[in-house]
């Protein structure tokens, strides 16, 4: 990973993007997207991941998050990627309706053969390109980019029409992932603890909340 892309602040809020090897369109099937979604839920509830924004595209994932339980963010993200890698590959292997099964597994095996730290299959590319969100401008840019990705790809006309992202939460509706920490407009003196939590029962809402 380049020096310009490192998790330098363990308590920071980060924008990360990670893609399937060779940018293969795996998440065209709902069942594979749901594996990512369920894994995000697990990380929220059990691993101290606070999620501010997210989007699952056909071949990559965007995420704005921070780690709040003394685990380094790179380790938290690494655990997430390792688990989802195995889970998606297993789902592909077990899916009788997957017409591309042999080709997909062959591509993952080729990628794994070229990686020294992979036993058999490699699903995710190793790069995450973490960018710490340290200003209003950077926050707005990254969250807008994340939510507009499906629009730019021609999947929907409006960001909130795309189910597999947090755009609905930011438009005042309920998204499919509970407990998303919605960033509000921050003052000039930045406060990264200012957000609206869409889940009033979220146990990690110990920062200043905002009236919806």
């Amino acid at each position: 990973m380049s020096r310009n892309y490192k998790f330098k602040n363990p308590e920071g809020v980060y924008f990360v993007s990670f893609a399937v090897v060779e940018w293969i369109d795996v998440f065209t099937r709902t069942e594979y997207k749901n594996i990512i979604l369920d894994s995000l839920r697990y990380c929220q509830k059990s691993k101290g991941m606070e999620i501010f924004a997210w989007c699952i595209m056909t071949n990559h994932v965007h995420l704005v998050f921070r780690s709040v339980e003394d685990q380094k963010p790179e380790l938290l993200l690494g655990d997430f990627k390792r688990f989802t890698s195995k889970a998606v590959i297993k789902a592909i292997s077990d899916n009788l309706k997957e017409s591309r099964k042999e080709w997909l597994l062959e591509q993952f095996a080729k990628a794994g053969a070229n990686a020294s730290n992979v036993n058999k299959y490699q699903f995710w590319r190793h790069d995450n390109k973490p960018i710490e969100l340290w200003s209003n401008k950077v926050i707005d840019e990254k969250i807008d980019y994340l939510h507009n990705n499906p629009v730019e790809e021609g999947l929907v006309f409006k960001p909130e029409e795309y189910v597999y992202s947090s755009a609905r939460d930011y438009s005042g509706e309920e998204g499919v992932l509970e407990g998303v920490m919605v960033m509000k407009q921050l003052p000039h003196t930045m406060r990264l603890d200012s957000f609206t939590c869409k889940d009033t029962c979220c146990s990690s809402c110990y920062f200043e909340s905002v009236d919806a």
Side-chain angles (χ1 to χ4, degrees), residues 171-190:
S171 69
E173 302 177 25
E174 292 294 332
V176 295
L177 180 64
E178 305 82 6
V180 172
M181 308 297 187
V182 177
M183 291 278 194
K184 71 172 184 177
Q185 182 63 40
L186 302 179
H188 181 70
T189 302
M190 179 159 160

Side-chain angles (χ1 to χ4, degrees), residues 12 30 127 194 201:
T30 299
D127 52 322
S194 297
C201 298

Side-chain angles (χ1 to χ4, degrees), residues 115-126:
S116 59
N117 59 342
V118 175
N119 291 328
K120 187 174 183 182
Y121 297 123
Q122 181 180 342
F123 181 77
W124 296 113
R125 290 167 55 98
H126 292 307

Side-chain angles (χ1 to χ4, degrees), residues 163-179:
V163 174
Y164 286 91
S165 86
S166 52
R168 287 187 178 184
D169 298 283
Y170 278 78
S171 69
E173 302 177 25
E174 292 294 332
V176 295
L177 180 64
E178 305 82 6

